[in-house]
């Protein structure tokens, strides 16, 4: 099979940039992100390296001068960056991608008071959307999640963020140990009362390699089973629909027009560049879809960028079936569904990369909805995304 080729109809995808800041004040016991606690950080060196990584990726991917739709500073905890570092990166990207006037620039932040005190400086550096990791409005749950902030501190940081940034989102984790559906119902009502235009509501996942995972394996941590998880999920959909902040993706909710432009680029399989340790990007270059990955270890990444000008350690030329898989895995998460036409134009007829019969069966069985060339998960299908993908992509 030849590598995935872009047809003219799939041309001009939107372009985004992800910037990874890998440091945190402490490591949360549930988290398997590329996040580390460092004794000292040479902020000047990190600023230089991130700008160098950006210049390298833009030239190497052939994206210089294109309009950039969005930038996302993720982590780790980007609110621990020096605001000057963020300002320097934003200045550099504005020089590389000059025709991006209404660009969305999101940063993740933790709600400790130290970080809240610096929010204005980040807004002045150019960030115009903030995503705050609150996780819970309950102090006992925050302690269980190993967080460095109280619920009162989180509310204060959020109020400050809402006064400073035009768009604010918050992350919460539910279906936690000892949490009952009724407890979550009360907490969710309080969350909806915060008046945010965007919410990321995640069910707790036990990720291999985390402290929670080993506690679970030793029988020291209990989480809701699949049926209980479904009750949590259904309640979440009901309450957020009624509260005017419905889901547009499995875990993401927004008031109309407030969807995260950045995440939509991932879920719609457009183009993005990833800079910083462990960041990955996917983009079309000269008719070929590429996936690139940077070295994950922060120290090794920094040394490589400063010595060799980049720290890309893996480059994959995607095959057509890889693109079909990516487009379905990401796109079926969205309530608006996936455009089969685009996949077929790039990857060929369904039976070249998947199972057309299984697709029809799942439509008949009420797991998928098909409207012309758009397919989407039905409410019954939404909790079963992985099973559906396995059937759809089997050949
Ligand atoms: C990169 S992290 C967080 C950014 C920021 N450092 C913070 O902690 O607020 C993005 C989000 O992923 C979610 N998350 C991380 N690990 C999770 C897990 N095991 N289960 C569910 N959600 C998780 C949390 O809601 C978190 O805010
Ligand atoms: S959840 Fe956030 S603060 Fe906690 S370790 Fe992960 S990235 Fe760091």
């Amino acid at each position: 099979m030849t590598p995935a080729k872009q047809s003219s109809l799939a041309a001009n995808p939107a372009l985004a940039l992800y910037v990874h800041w890998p440091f945190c004040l402490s490591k949360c016991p549930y988290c398997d992100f590329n996040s580390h606690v460092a004794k000292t950080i040479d902020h000047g060196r990190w600023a230089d390296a991130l700008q160098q990584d950006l210049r390298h990726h833009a030239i190497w991917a052939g994206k210089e001068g294109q309009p950039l739709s969005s930038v996302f500073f993720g982590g780790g905890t980007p609110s621990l960056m020096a605001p000057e570092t963020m300002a320097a990166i934003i200045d550099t990207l504005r020089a590389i991608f000059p025709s991006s006037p209404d660009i969305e620039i999101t940063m993740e932040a933790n709600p400790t008071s130290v970080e809240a005190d610096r929010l204005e400086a980040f807004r002045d550096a150019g960030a115009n959307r903030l995503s705050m990791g609150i996780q819970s409005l309950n102090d006992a749950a925050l302690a269980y999640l190993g967080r460095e902030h109280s619920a009162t501190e989180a509310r204060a940081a959020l109020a400050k963020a809402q006064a400073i940034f035009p768009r604010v989102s918050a992350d919460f984790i539910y279906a936690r140990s000892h949490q009952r559906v009724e407890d979550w119902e009360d907490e969710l009502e309080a969350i909806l009362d915060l008046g945010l235009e965007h919410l990321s509501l995640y069910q707790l996942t036990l990720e291999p390699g985390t402290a929670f995972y080993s506690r679970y394996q030793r029988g020291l941590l209990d989480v809701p089973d699949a049926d209980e998880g479904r009750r949590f999920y259904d309640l979440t959909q009901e309450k957020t629909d009624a509260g005017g902040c419905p889901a547009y993706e499995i875990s993401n909710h927004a008031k109309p027009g407030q969807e995260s432009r950045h995440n939509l680029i991932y879920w719609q399989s457009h183009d993005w560049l990833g800079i910083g340790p462990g960041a990955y990007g996917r983009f079309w270059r000269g008719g070929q879809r590429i996936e690139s990955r940077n070295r994950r270890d922060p120290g090794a990444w920094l040394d490589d960028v400063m010595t060799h000008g980049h720290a890309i350690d893996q480059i994959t030329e995607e095959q057509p079936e890889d693109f079909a898989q990516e487009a379905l895995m990401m796109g079926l998460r969205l309530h608006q569904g996936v455009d089969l036409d685009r996949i077929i134009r790039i990857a060929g007829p369904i039976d070249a990369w998947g199972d057309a019969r299984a697709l029809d069966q799942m439509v008949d069985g009420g797991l998928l909805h098909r409207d012309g060339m758009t397919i989407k998960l039905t409410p019954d299908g939404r909790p079963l995304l992985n099973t559906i993908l396995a059937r759809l992509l089997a050949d």
Side-chain angles (χ1 to χ4, degrees):
M1 183 97 52
T2 54
K5 297 288 177 203
Q6 181 183 32
S7 78
S8 56
L9 277 160
N12 301 323
L15 178 65
L17 172 72
Y18 175 77
V19 183
H20 191 75
W21 181 258
F23 302 115
C24 294
L25 283 180
S26 61
K27 183 79 187 176
C28 303
Y30 53 84
C31 178
D32 80 337
F33 283 80
N34 188 21
S35 56
H36 307 263
V37 179
K39 278 202 191 86
T40 54
I41 297 166
D42 182 340
H43 286 274
R45 206 157 173 251
W46 273 86
D48 289 346
L50 285 165
Q51 289 172 87
Q52 168 56 32
D53 204 19
L54 169 57
R55 281 190 289 268
H56 177 85
H57 273 86
I59 295 167
W60 172 65
K63 302 296 182 190
E64 277 175 299
Q66 284 194 22
L68 197 59
S69 296
S70 75
V71 182
F72 195 99
F73 288 87
T77 305
S79 46
L80 295 174
M81 287 172 100
E84 297 75 24
T85 302
M86 185 177 290
I89 295 167
I90 292 174
D91 285 351
T92 301
L93 70 87
R94 285 198 186 278
I96 298 173
F97 309 100
S99 51
S100 318
D102 65 338
I103 188 169
E104 173 188 283
I105 304 184
T106 306
M107 66 175 289
E108 287 184 328
N110 281 28
T112 69
S113 49
V114 183
E115 289 149 89
D117 285 347
R118 304 196 308 173
L119 292 182
E120 247 164 347
F122 287 117
R123 191 262 329 266
D124 295 345
N128 55 23
R129 184 171 179 274
L130 190 92
S131 171
M132 195 170 265
I134 306 281
Q135 321 307 355
S136 173
L137 292 176
N138 173 307
D139 280 334
L142 289 170
Y144 150 85
L145 290 169
R147 301 292 290 179
E148 296 271 334
H149 55 87
S150 65
T152 306
E153 206 175 1
R155 282 178 180 277
L158 201 54
K160 201 163 193 178
Q162 285 171 297
I164 293 172
F165 287 89
R167 298 169 70 200
V168 179
S169 175
D171 297 346
F172 291 89
I173 297 180
Y174 69 97
R176 310 177 297 248
S177 313
H178 313 303
Q179 190 183 35
R180 296 170 310 162
V181 177
E182 308 86 86
D183 303 330
W184 174 232
E185 183 166 9
D186 293 343
E187 194 173 340
L188 192 48
E189 273 168 19
I191 291 169
L192 288 166
D193 284 345
L194 294 169
L196 294 160
E197 46 274 308
H198 189 282
L199 293 170
S200 300
L201 305 174
Y202 301 111
Q203 290 208 25
L204 176 65
T205 314
L206 298 174
E207 304 287 357
T210 61
F212 268 15
Y213 191 79
S214 66
R215 269 185 238 167
Y216 174 74
Q217 281 192 314
R218 284 179 285 140
L220 302 173
L221 189 137
D222 218 7
V223 284
D225 64 17
D227 288 344
E228 187 74 345
R230 179 70 197 262
R231 282 191 281 280
F232 272 100
Y233 180 81
D234 289 345
L235 173 87
T236 305
Q237 310 316 306
E238 246 169 65
K239 299 285 286 184
T240 51
D241 279 352
C245 199
Y248 65 99
E249 189 263 356
I250 289 186
S251 306
N252 283 276
H253 302 249
K255 291 184 179 164
Q258 293 299 330
E259 295 82 6
S260 155
R261 205 193 295 172
H262 189 83
N263 284 341
L264 284 174
I265 286 180
Y266 298 158
W267 294 321
Q268 293 173 336
S269 300
H270 289 296
D271 282 10
W272 72 93
L273 308 178
I275 69 164
Y280 74 100
R282 286 199 187 123
F283 50 86
W284 292 100
R285 188 183 65 178
Q288 170 67 57
R289 187 128 175 112
I290 308 268
E291 182 186 279
S292 73
R293 284 181 185 269
N294 297 340
R295 289 193 75 165
R296 195 174 156 86
D297 177 75
W301 174 88
L302 187 64
D303 287 347
D304 270 11
V305 174
M306 294 312 258
T307 315
H308 309 297
H310 74 86
I312 300 169
D313 74 347
Q314 209 180 308
I315 298 171
T316 310
E317 292 196 345
E318 285 192 355
Q319 301 295 315
E321 58 271 30
D322 298 332
F323 178 77
Q325 186 173 345
E326 172 199 338
L328 285 167
M329 281 175 70
M330 304 301 271
L332 279 177
R333 302 183 63 92
L334 286 172
H335 283 206
Q336 69 189 51
V338 180
D339 176 12
L340 272 181
D341 249 344
R342 179 172 176 232
I343 300 178
I344 289 168
R345 281 178 218 286
I346 292 171
I350 297 177
D351 280 327
W353 45 264
D355 186 337
R357 216 167 126 243
L359 170 60
D360 291 341
Q361 283 169 351
M362 288 190 283
V363 170
D364 291 343
L367 296 178
L368 288 171
H369 175 76
R370 182 165 182 173
D371 182 3
M373 292 306 276
T374 301
I375 53 167
K376 52 180 95 163
L377 298 175
T378 62
D380 279 343
R382 271 183 213 134
L384 302 173
L385 174 60
N386 289 340
T387 315
I388 291 169
L389 284 170
R391 284 181 64 191
L392 204 51
L393 292 167
D395 45 29

